[in-house]
Amino acid sequence: MQVIAEIAPLRDQILQWRREGQRIAFVPTMGHLHDGHLTLVRKARENADVVVVSIFVNPMQFDKNDDLVAYPRTLEEDTAKLNAEAIDVLFTPSADVMYPQGMDNHVSIEVPSLSNILEGASRPGHFKGVATVVSKLFNIVQPDVALFGEKDFQQLAVINKMVADLALPITIVPVPTVREMDGLAMSSRNSRLTVDERQRAPVLAKTLRWISSQMRGGRNDYSELVLDGNDQLRAAGLEPDEIFIRDAHSLQPVTEQTSKAVILASVKLGQVRLIDNLMVELTVAQAEESSEE
């Protein structure tokens, strides 16, 4: 495994692979790797000859500096994990490499509509930071395929639209959320939970499963379902942030055309904000009745 921190040598390596006709897969991360990340890496190997992973804690996507400072950085451990997975290149640029003239003077990419709703409404500029850094990484690595986890559902939607609208020759492969044995979605932030908080955290996934079962059973009073879900979270000591029930394809409210919905939720648990989602297949009758409310 090569570890490269500058753009020029990575591009030289990419050019060599291109000349050899190698297919390139890319997994962008912010480090502090867990089994969810490593699942992406293994799926990448199934989709290409060469696997490139990046680790870059992107300051542009943090709306609060305290969160940026607190984000765990474990490069030595991450490097060992990726080496064990036999990836080809680990790209570890610094902020100066990615934003040589500073973030305020850097070109930015914004995906309209998708970036400013749901989580984007409560985190102004977050998805602009995501789209900008992913676009730049795509231009540096020039992958044939890039892999992203479905846990960050809205992020995946933003990236899919960016790739489509900019006609980027990249196939985006979504990978289902990887969970702990108790259902908690794997996240780098989980390591910041106290022992007590970690015991309560799976209630988030449990609540999503309950809402899903209610929807599959015919309930379409979505506003009431959200309130009921919030009550379950509070009863377990979690502080509800947001629960949305949306069309899984557009992230807009469910309509009579909706065939698949997604429940998106975020909670605060101590100093940590957790997110999760769950998709639900809808019958035509459910969608039509919900759209008439």
Side-chain angles (χ1 to χ4, degrees):
M1 182 183 75
Q2 300 181 62
V3 180
I4 301 176
E6 300 290 336
I7 294 173
L10 177 57
R11 281 186 164 155
D12 289 342
Q13 178 61 78
I14 295 292
L15 181 59
Q16 179 180 332
W17 285 329
R18 287 289 176 206
R19 287 171 175 163
E20 296 170 354
Q22 302 288 323
R23 180 174 168 84
I24 301 169
F26 178 46
V27 180
T29 82
M30 292 206 300
H32 199 49
L33 304 181
H34 49 69
D35 282 346
H37 294 111
L38 300 182
T39 297
L40 296 178
V41 171
R42 292 161 193 154
K43 290 289 185 182
R45 180 62 71 190
E46 295 174 7
N47 281 270
D49 307 301
V50 168
V51 176
V52 178
V53 176
S54 65
I55 293 179
F56 176 59
V57 181
N58 177 34
M60 189 182 285
Q61 68 191 68
F62 285 83
D63 52 326
K64 296 178 181 178
N65 190 62
D66 288 348
D67 286 343
L68 173 61
V69 172
Y71 194 88
R73 293 161 172 83
T74 53
L75 183 58
E76 184 175 345
E77 293 89 339
D78 294 343
T79 301
K81 290 178 181 179
L82 293 171
N83 194 42
E85 294 293 332
I87 72 164
D88 297 275
V89 167
L90 170 58
F91 182 45
T92 59
S94 66
D96 288 340
V97 167
M98 294 298 287
Y99 305 117
Q101 297 179 12
M103 291 186 295
D104 293 339
N105 294 312
H106 195 281
V107 169
S108 61
I109 303 289
E110 187 158 12
V111 178
S113 70
L114 284 178
S115 291
N116 301 315
I117 61 173
L118 309 179
E119 187 172 4
S122 60
R123 300 181 67 187
H126 170 70
F127 288 114
K128 180 172 74 172
V130 169
T132 299
V133 76
V134 171
S135 176
K136 183 159 188 175
L137 287 167
F138 281 173
N139 279 311
I140 294 168
V141 178
Q142 299 177 29
D144 297 284
V145 58
L147 295 92
F148 292 85
E150 290 181 344
K151 182 180 77 71
D152 296 296
F153 195 89
Q154 188 173 358
Q155 172 180 281
L156 178 59
V158 166
I159 291 167
N160 273 323
K161 182 169 174 57
M162 179 187 75
V163 168
D165 286 3
L166 297 181
L168 300 178
I170 301 169
T171 299
I172 302 299
V173 176
V175 178
T177 302
V178 180
R179 299 183 180 275
E180 303 286 358
M181 292 294 291
D182 56 12
L184 178 64
M186 290 189 180
S187 169
S188 298
R189 296 177 184 270
N190 293 350
S191 64
R192 295 171 55 197
L193 297 170
T194 66
V195 173
D196 177 64
E197 290 165 354
R198 176 61 186 83
Q199 292 177 341
R200 285 182 280 150
V203 173
L204 175 56
K206 181 180 178 181
T207 300
L208 291 182
R209 293 195 300 271
W210 179 82
I211 294 174
S212 172
S213 69
Q214 293 294 301
M215 293 171 65
R216 292 196 309 274
R219 279 191 67 176
N220 49 41
D221 53 336
Y222 296 159
S223 296
E224 289 300 318
L225 267 177
V226 167
L227 293 176
D228 291 344
N230 283 335
D231 287 343
Q232 292 188 23
L233 293 170
R234 290 192 188 96
L238 283 70
E239 181 183 346
D241 188 5
E242 298 166 328
I243 299 178
F244 298 103
I245 300 174
R246 293 296 176 98
D247 184 291
H249 301 290
S250 66
L251 295 187
Q252 296 301 314
V254 172
T255 71
E256 62 271 15
Q257 283 79 40
T258 300
S259 60
K260 182 181 292 185
V262 60
I263 312 162
L264 305 112
S266 59
V267 300
K268 293 177 183 176
L269 189 51
Q271 300 300 310
V272 181
R273 183 173 183 270
L274 301 176
I275 65 171
D276 202 349
N277 67 81
L278 196 61
M279 283 185 276
V280 187
E281 297 285 347
L282 294 181
T283 65
V284 173
Q286 284 175 290
E288 288 178 346
E289 290 173 15
S290 69
S291 67
E292 293 170 359
E293 293 182 349

